[in-house]
Amino acid sequence: MLNNQSLSWQTIALHWITGLAFIGVFALGLYMGELTPETGKFQMMGIHKSLGALILIVALIRIVWRLKEGALPPASPVAAWQDKLAKAIHGILMLATLAMPVSGIAMSVGGGRGVDIFGWQFIAKGDEIVWLQELGGAIHGLSVNIIIAALVLHIAGAIKHQIVDKDSTISRMVGRAS
C-alpha cells in the first residue's frame, strides 16, 4: 500500500535548501583543491567557509524540524534491509551536514584564523591549537568519500522508488504527492 501523505512545505524546503547548498559547497571545496594562491584559492576559501557556516545553521534548523515532525513515513513498504539502509544513509547525510562545517570551523579556529561569514566575524582570531586543526582537517578530508557514496546511494534510492517502485517518493519531495 502506498503512502501518499504530503510532506510539509518546511520539510521540503529544508531538504532542498540543505541538500543543494551542501552539494554546492562540497563541489566548491573539491574545485578549491585544484586552485593555487595565484588562481584565487584563498578568495574561494572565504566563500566556501562562509557558505559552510550558513549550511551549519540551516542544517541545525532542519534537524530541529525533523525532531519536531518525526521521521518521514516511507512512501511504500520495503524490505527490512532497505529500510535500515535508508535510515543509515539519511543519518549519514544529516551527520555530514553538521560534521563538515564543524570540522571546517575547527580547522580555522585551530589554525588561529577565527571564523567569519562574509566578513562578519563570529569567532575571533586567536592562538593556534594544533590538535584541533589536525582533528578538523582529518574529519573534513576523510569524510569526503563517505559523503559522496552516501549521496549517490540517496539519489539512487530516490530514483529507484520513483521509477521502479512507482511510489511517488520524488513527487512527495517536490510537493506533488498524489
Side-chain angles (χ1 to χ4, degrees):
M1 174 152 179
L2 296 181
N3 176 0
N4 291 328
Q5 176 186 357
S6 295
L7 303 175
S8 70
W9 69 267
Q10 295 93 335
T11 295
I12 294 168
L14 288 168
H15 172 269
W16 289 108
I17 291 167
T18 306
L20 293 174
F22 189 81
I23 290 169
V25 171
F26 196 81
L28 180 58
L30 293 174
Y31 172 68
M32 280 178 5
E34 305 298 317
L35 297 177
T36 64
E38 297 77 34
T39 59
K41 182 173 189 148
F42 295 119
Q43 291 84 356
M44 289 291 115
M45 191 174 296
I47 293 168
H48 176 78
K49 289 178 176 184
S50 294
L51 292 173
L54 291 175
I55 286 173
L56 177 59
I57 294 166
V58 173
L60 288 169
I61 292 168
R62 181 168 189 239
I63 289 169
V64 168
W65 181 257
R66 178 75 175 266
L67 291 171
K68 176 198 171 294
E69 214 175 35
L72 300 179
S76 64
V78 295
W81 70 268
Q82 287 180 347
D83 186 53
K84 287 179 179 147
L85 179 61
K87 286 178 180 167
I89 295 300
H90 284 115
I92 289 168
L93 290 173
M94 286 190 141
L95 180 61
T97 62
L98 298 176
M100 289 302 274
V102 168
S103 63
I105 289 168
M107 285 191 303
S108 286
V109 170
R113 293 179 298 278
V115 180
D116 69 82
I117 299 176
F118 297 111
W120 176 70
Q121 188 173 57
F122 70 96
I123 299 177
K125 294 178 181 180
D127 295 334
E128 286 189 20
I129 308 168
V130 176
W131 69 265
L132 183 61
Q133 183 180 23
E134 290 175 355
L135 177 62
I139 293 169
H140 214 72
L142 296 173
S143 313
V144 171
N145 290 333
I146 295 168
I147 293 166
I148 290 171
L151 185 60
V152 167
L153 286 171
H154 179 67
I155 292 168
I159 292 169
K160 177 242 181 216
H161 275 279
Q162 186 73 23
I163 294 172
V164 176
D165 299 340
K166 299 185 186 317
D167 65 8
S168 302
T169 291
I170 294 175
S171 298
R172 285 174 60 197
M173 195 45 75
V174 296
R176 294 201 168 100
S178 52

